[in-house]
Amino acid sequence: MALQIDENVPSSAATPSNYDSELEQIEIELLLEGIYRHSGFDFRAYAYASIRRRLWKRIEAEGIATVSGLQERILHEPAMMERLLLDLSINVTAMFRDPSFYRVFREAVVPTLRTYPFIRVWHAGCATGEEVYSMAILLQEEGLYDRARIYATDINEVVLQKAKAGIFPLDRMQEYTENYIAAGGKRAFSDYYVAKYDGALFSPTLTRNVVFSQHNLVTDRSFSEFNAILCRNVLIYFDKSLQSKVHGLFYDSLAIFGVLALGSRESLRFSPYEDSYEQINGPEKIYRKVR
Ligand SMILES: C[S@@+](CC[C@H](N)C(=O)[O-])C[C@H]1O[C@@H](n2cnc3c(N)ncnc32)[C@H](O)[C@@H]1O
C-alpha cells in the first residue's frame, strides 16, 4: 500500500507508541478485508497512512484499545460500520474549489461542449455536491444547462442525501462568492440561493437535470458514455494500482474527445492511459481523450 500525506486528519489520532507496527498492519489488512466482505466497500488499496490515521481516530473516539477491537465492533454493530464508513470517505469539498479550474473549464472546454446537441457530465466522488452545483451554475450561465445531464455519484449515501438537499452552510457563502467571482461567474452569486436559518438553500433549477446516485469507483462498472468526467480529489486517496483501475473505468466511460478533469494534486502521468489523452491544461489537470 502507498504512503500518502493526508492533512485532513488531526495528527493526534496516532498509533499508541507501544503498538507493534507489523501487528498493526496485519490487523488493518484483516479489518479492511472484513469491511470489504461484510459491506462491499473496498478500501484495501487506499493509501495506507491515510486509512491508518482514520482508523485510529475512530478507535480513540470509541474508547477501543486495538484495531482488532474495532473489527469486532464493526462486524457486529451496523451503526459502528456506518460511522467507520463515513470516517473512511473523506468528504472535504467547496463550491468553485480551485476557481482557476472553472475559469479554464469555461474557456477551454465549454466551446467544445457547445458543439454537442446533448451533453453528459459525470461527477465521480461528488461528496456533498458543491462541485455539482458549481458546474450546474457554470453550464446555466453558458446556456448549456438545458441540454446537459449531470450524473453525480459517490460511494457514500449520507453525503449524497446532503447533495440532493442543496443546503450549504451560510457561513461559507462569503468564501464561495469570492471563488465564484474568481472562477469567472457572470451574475451575482446570491442569485442562486436563499438564506434559510443558518443554511443557504440553492435553487432547485440547478438540480433539474442532475441524477444523484451511489456508485463505487472500485467495484461498480461504467454506466453511460460521457462528454466530461470530473473526478477531483478522490484518486489522491488511492494507491497506484487502484488509480489505474479507475482510470480504466474513466477511459471506458468517456466518448472520444471527452474531457477528464482531475484534482490539482492528481495526474494521468504514469497511468497506463497516459498516451490515450492529450493535455488541455496542465496545471488544472484537464485532459482530452484522443484515442
Ligand atoms: C475529498 S472528496 C472530493 C469532493 C469533490 N470531488 C471535490 O473535489 O471537492 C472525496 C469523495 O470521494 C468519495 N469516494 C471515496 N472513495 C470512493 C469510491 N471508491 N467510489 C466513489 N466515491 C468515492 C468520498 O466519499 C468523498 O465524498
Side-chain angles (χ1 to χ4, degrees):
M1 291 186 188
L3 283 181
Q4 283 186 4
I5 308 294
D6 177 7
E7 69 281 8
N8 297 322
V9 175
S11 54
S12 69
T15 318
S17 53
N18 61 347
Y19 218 88
D20 180 287
S21 67
E22 261 177 47
L23 187 60
E24 180 193 29
Q25 183 155 353
I26 294 171
E27 287 182 284
I28 289 180
E29 286 174 12
L30 289 172
L31 176 82
L32 298 181
E33 184 66 28
I35 293 174
Y36 175 58
R37 291 178 55 179
H38 194 54
S39 76
F41 287 102
D42 191 356
F43 293 99
R44 292 173 301 175
Y46 278 44
Y48 181 71
S50 166
I51 289 284
R52 185 168 63 89
R53 267 173 291 167
R54 273 159 216 289
L55 291 177
W56 279 105
K57 194 174 160 218
R58 176 53 49 203
I59 290 168
E60 265 182 28
E62 304 291 344
I64 302 170
T66 62
V67 180
S68 299
L70 179 63
Q71 165 131 347
E72 201 212 321
R73 300 278 301 272
I74 57 137
L75 293 180
H76 294 281
E77 290 173 36
M80 180 70 83
M81 176 72 98
E82 282 278 301
R83 286 205 287 281
L84 186 63
L85 290 177
L86 274 177
D87 293 338
L88 295 183
S89 69
I90 304 103
N91 308 122
V92 180
T93 187
M95 292 190 98
F96 293 97
R97 181 177 190 173
D98 308 320
S100 54
F101 165 80
Y102 288 91
R103 188 176 277 280
V104 170
F105 193 93
R106 267 184 208 269
E107 287 163 6
V109 178
V110 162
T112 310
L113 296 182
R114 219 180 270 299
T115 65
Y116 301 141
F118 193 72
I119 303 160
R120 280 197 178 82
V121 180
W122 178 16
H123 289 267
C126 69
T128 36
E130 284 82 340
E131 183 183 85
V132 180
Y133 286 78
S134 308
M135 181 57 69
I137 289 173
L138 187 156
L139 292 176
Q140 227 179 51
E141 291 183 356
E142 296 298 332
L144 293 178
Y145 187 78
D146 286 343
R147 54 172 136 140
R149 175 63 49 93
I150 300 177
Y151 295 83
T153 66
D154 201 281
I155 192 175
N156 181 331
E157 189 60 50
V158 175
V159 291
L160 282 173
Q161 290 307 327
K162 290 190 182 166
K164 271 185 209 165
I167 303 170
F168 301 113
L170 206 49
D171 60 10
R172 294 198 71 181
M173 289 306 124
Q174 179 63 32
E175 170 201 346
Y176 293 171
T177 303
E178 285 161 19
N179 284 357
Y180 168 76
I181 293 167
K186 294 183 172 170
R187 292 172 56 181
F189 187 59
S190 55
D191 288 354
Y192 295 105
Y193 65 87
V194 289
K196 264 206 153 176
Y197 309 108
D198 57 351
L201 171 65
F202 277 71
S203 166
T205 61
L206 295 171
T207 45
R208 212 179 46 231
N209 295 350
V210 180
V211 178
F212 291 99
S213 171
Q214 192 182 37
H215 181 277
N216 184 341
L217 289 166
V218 180
T219 50
D220 294 337
R221 290 161 178 249
S222 169
F223 55 93
S224 190
E225 192 178 71
F226 298 96
N227 307 107
I229 297 177
L230 286 85
C231 183
R232 307 183 64 229
N233 309 298
V234 180
L235 297 184
I236 197 165
Y237 300 107
F238 296 1
D239 80 358
K240 277 279 161 219
S241 71
L242 200 49
Q243 288 182 12
S244 297
K245 185 175 173 193
V246 177
H247 277 307
L249 173 68
F250 292 156
Y251 179 80
D252 290 343
S253 307
L254 269 177
I256 191 75
F257 305 127
V259 168
L260 177 65
L262 303 176
S264 60
R265 290 174 293 162
E266 297 157 342
S267 147
L268 261 178
R269 279 194 80 196
F270 309 122
S271 105
Y273 297 88
E274 190 176 358
D275 294 338
S276 308
Y277 292 84
E278 68 182 20
Q279 214 167 266
I280 296 180
N281 185 291
E284 302 303 338
K285 308 295 167 55
I286 306 179
Y287 307 88
R288 176 182 288 117
K289 174 175 164 177
V290 288
R291 58 182 70 86

